[in-house]
Amino acid sequence: MSTADLEARLAEWARPGGPFDPAVLTAHDEAESFPAEACAALDAWGLPAYYVPVRHGGRQDRLDEFLGLLRRVAARDLTVAVAHGKTFLGGVCAWVAGEDAPSGLLARQVLAGRPVAWGLTEPDGGSDLLAGSLTATRNGSGWQLSGRKWPVNNATRGRLMCVLARTDPQGGPRGFTVFLIDKRATAAGTVRPLPKMPTHGVRGADISGVEFHQARVPAHALVGTVGGGLELVLKSLQLTRIVCVSLSLGAGDHALGLLRRFLGERRLYGRDLAALPHVRGTAGRAVARQFLAEAVAHTAARAAHEVPDELSVVSAVAKAFVPTLVQGQLQLIGDLLGARGFLTGVEGYGGFAKLERDHQVVPLFDGSTWVNRAGLAAVLPLLRPGRRAPAPVSDSPVHWLREEHRPAPLDPRRLRLAAPRDSVLDALPALVAEVAEREGTSGTAAETAALARALLSAYRHLGADLEGVRPTGGAPSTAAMRLAERYEWCFAGAAALALHRARPHLHDGLWGQDGLWLHGCLALALEGLGSRPDTATGIYDRLGGLLSSSPQVPVSVLDDTVPDEPARDGSVEVPAA
């Protein structure tokens, strides 16, 4: 089975009356009912096997391929992707804990299609895991749990739930432990569901909670070590945050598909809508956002295999950056769609309002944008350019982003709470130097070199601004958060450069011709850094023109192909006034 196979099945299921029929999913959304038919179809196809690592009997071997599968589901319906994909998030603590977890029990349940929940948050606790008050106390050879977890995805449907519980009354970094709870194996009346909460988006998902009242669980429910729960959760989040960005990529795919159709159908003032420069430019910005998000997501997924000790930084960047970038893309597309983006009964476009609502929850998953950016801000002084030793050549992203490169097996034992370096940004000077060497070969190379040099200059300015910054405790300042955001833009630009360098075939194709997709990524990154290049308008105009003129070509860096029939060059003739 492959991404292409899943895509073919999704297309089949999306026919009228099928489990992914937009009308069926819209009805679930309006009724706030769970999309059980769609989830059952994914179970039958075998998606749960990709939630379980190969070493535990599943099919999850490569994180980049797993992201591709969940992205395809999200491109059809974000609620279904959230509802079904949550099982991976629910079980990841057991995979990270390895031998110190009931992994065999969990694997059997997941492979049988049973959903798993992840009980981290509590009422009034927000994102502060140290504020958790659900307790686990010794009870003979086992444990006894009391307290609430809410709101939690799959809390009611999930028979199994990984729960973070306070095992030391004083709390603190070593005061919490993770348990895998089989709710049906507890005594009657000791575990009860909390009502589903109404939500703005993902209305059909099981966002509810659970209450434990002296619920007894066996000793083998322990996941990891007593007191090691917080560290286990933080390491697990490094993986789940990367997986979460696939939801945003799928949302972007869906939205760009709607925009492409709209540009092909809509006429204004007697001509195609895409003939208007403002429309082409706005559409091009939306395309560039998707390409840059894709570059960051793919780089992060490969980094999980190759440089897992750096994942605390990479995952924070990906989770803060990608959903924010796509949310901005949806706003641009909504502006172009106009009323069609908000009138649910409009044929073919009514789903945009649902998509936009659904995606608003993604930036909140597994630590909000603020939480991830704050975590990055706290370690910026340690990541300042020149402060750390250069990464080994084997850690260069150009090496492990090559398409033919077989990623190293994912080894959770190599995850660390503090990254020793950032190999992606460490590679930026060398990448820019390589681009500069090719500057004289063509006009395209000169434009690439100019954009790359501007990115390196912005990164050096960031390094200079970090000179006087020192690590501090507590919430970061506004200035520190802005520095972190600049770091994200620099990382994104470096990821795009590395991907372009690692895969020569991405220099061709519809989006790769004349370095177009890379130029779009770099122009967007420079804008985010406050330095808009002079060529930006032309770059976005070309991207927007290609979107409207090439309906059969995926809007994807990784899946860039030349259409069977020659497409227009992207220019649009504007009639004389």
Side-chain angles (χ1 to χ4, degrees):
M1 293 186 287
S2 65
T3 303
D5 178 67
L6 177 59
E7 178 61 30
R9 296 302 299 273
L10 287 166
E12 177 185 332
W13 295 332
R15 294 172 182 169
F20 275 83
D21 178 358
V24 171
L25 295 172
T26 297
H28 277 300
D29 185 67
E30 293 174 349
E32 300 188 22
S33 58
F34 190 81
E37 306 94 336
C39 288
L42 294 174
D43 288 342
W45 183 81
L47 188 57
Y50 290 90
Y51 301 156
V52 180
V54 170
R55 67 182 181 277
H56 294 300
R59 303 190 65 169
Q60 187 197 110
D61 184 34
R62 294 177 51 168
L63 209 58
D64 54 346
E65 294 178 349
F66 174 43
L67 261 65
L69 294 173
L70 201 56
R71 175 182 180 177
R72 297 272 53 84
V73 179
R76 293 287 175 172
D77 188 83
L78 202 51
T79 297
V80 175
V82 168
H84 201 279
K86 184 64 180 182
T87 289
F88 168 76
L89 278 62
V92 72
C93 280
W95 315 139
V96 172
E99 298 301 320
D100 295 326
S103 304
L105 166 66
L106 180 64
R108 290 192 297 273
Q109 296 290 330
V110 173
L111 292 173
R114 295 188 176 93
V116 183
W118 200 10
L120 297 181
T121 54
E122 299 182 12
D124 303 322
S127 298
D128 184 3
L129 297 179
L130 289 172
S133 60
L134 185 147
T135 62
T137 56
R138 295 280 187 180
N139 183 271
S141 62
W143 297 82
Q144 183 172 280
L145 275 65
S146 291
R148 292 184 173 189
K149 288 295 179 182
W150 178 94
V152 175
N153 192 2
N154 277 346
T156 299
R157 293 182 64 254
R159 171 177 173 176
L160 299 177
M161 175 185 285
C162 272
V163 174
L164 180 66
R166 182 184 290 258
T167 45
D168 184 335
Q170 301 303 315
R174 306 301 299 180
F176 293 83
T177 305
V178 174
F179 296 89
L180 178 62
I181 311 301
D182 184 343
K183 294 188 295 183
R184 296 187 186 180
T186 56
T190 62
V191 178
R192 72 177 186 90
L194 298 176
K196 170 178 163 59
M197 62 181 299
T199 54
H200 179 66
V202 294
R203 293 173 176 174
D206 171 23
I207 309 294
S208 55
V210 62
E211 183 175 37
F212 299 92
H213 180 67
Q214 298 180 355
R216 296 180 181 181
V217 299
H220 65 252
L222 180 67
V223 179
T225 60
V226 176
L230 191 63
E231 179 179 353
L232 179 58
V233 166
L234 292 176
K235 288 181 177 179
S236 299
L237 285 169
Q238 294 175 21
L239 298 175
T240 63
R241 285 168 175 164
I242 294 174
V243 171
C244 279
V245 303
S246 65
L247 302 173
S248 291
L249 293 181
D253 291 333
H254 189 169
L256 285 170
L258 293 174
L259 176 60
R260 174 183 263 165
R261 174 181 172 180
F262 181 67
L263 294 177
E265 294 177 349
R266 180 69 168 151
R267 291 180 60 81
L268 193 64
Y269 309 125
R271 51 182 167 173
D272 291 342
L273 189 64
L276 301 177
H278 169 72
V279 172
R280 287 199 308 275
T282 302
R285 285 178 180 276
V287 170
R289 281 177 172 264
Q290 184 74 356
F291 288 161
L292 191 56
E294 190 174 35
V296 171
H298 189 69
T299 300
R302 283 291 182 96
H305 291 266
E306 302 294 335
V307 287
D309 55 331
E310 301 177 16
L311 222 58
S312 62
V313 167
V314 174
S315 64
V317 169
K319 184 57 175 59
F321 186 79
V322 173
T324 302
L325 199 65
V326 172
Q327 195 65 36
Q329 178 213 66
L330 297 180
Q331 182 176 349
L332 290 172
I333 294 174
D335 288 345
L336 290 180
L337 293 180
R340 282 170 176 76
F342 301 94
L343 299 177
T344 57
V346 177
E347 172 65 27
Y349 300 101
F352 181 80
K354 176 183 181 303
L355 169 64
E356 200 276 336
R357 282 189 288 104
D358 286 352
H359 186 264
Q360 288 186 37
V361 76
V362 178
L364 303 178
F365 284 153
D366 293 16
S368 65
T369 300
W370 188 93
V371 167
N372 282 281
R373 189 164 291 160
L376 179 62
V379 299
L380 281 181
L382 307 178
L383 298 172
R384 177 173 52 83
R387 183 186 185 280
R388 56 197 181 274
V393 175
S394 60
D395 285 350
S396 169
V398 175
H399 170 70
W400 41 260
L401 282 173
R402 300 195 318 269
E403 189 167 31
E404 66 274 14
H405 176 73
R406 178 69 182 177
L410 187 62
D411 186 359
R413 294 171 299 180
R414 294 177 58 194
L415 295 172
R416 296 178 55 176
L417 296 184
R421 63 179 65 86
D422 180 349
S423 296
V424 174
L425 272 174
D426 281 352
L428 183 58
L431 285 167
V432 174
E434 289 181 9
V435 169
E437 289 178 1
R438 301 191 296 272
E439 183 175 1
T441 60
S442 70
T444 296
E447 183 175 358
T448 304
L451 292 168
R453 281 196 296 267
L455 177 65
L456 180 59
S457 176
Y459 180 48
R460 287 173 172 163
H461 280 304
L462 173 63
D465 290 343
L466 288 172
E467 285 282 353
V469 177
R470 297 291 180 268
T472 59
S477 65
T478 300
M481 293 291 277
R482 288 176 176 168
L483 290 171
E485 188 173 5
R486 286 167 59 190
Y487 190 96
E488 293 166 23
W489 283 110
C490 289
F491 181 100
L497 268 174
L499 186 62
H500 189 264
R501 175 70 180 83
R503 302 190 180 184
H505 74 277
L506 296 182
H507 303 184
D508 303 313
L510 181 74
W511 303 108
Q513 56 185 315
D514 299 327
L516 183 57
W517 75 260
L518 176 62
H519 292 174
C521 289
L522 294 179
L524 195 63
L526 289 169
E527 284 186 348
L529 291 161
S531 177
R532 188 175 192 274
D534 295 336
T535 55
T537 298
I539 292 169
Y540 297 141
D541 187 87
R542 287 186 62 201
L543 287 171
L546 285 175
L547 178 70
S548 62
S549 63
S550 306
Q552 303 304 317
V553 180
V555 186
S556 168
V557 171
L558 302 175
D559 194 21
D560 190 11
T561 55
V562 179
D564 294 334
E565 297 181 3
R568 292 182 292 170
D569 62 3
S571 60
V572 179
E573 181 178 353
V574 179

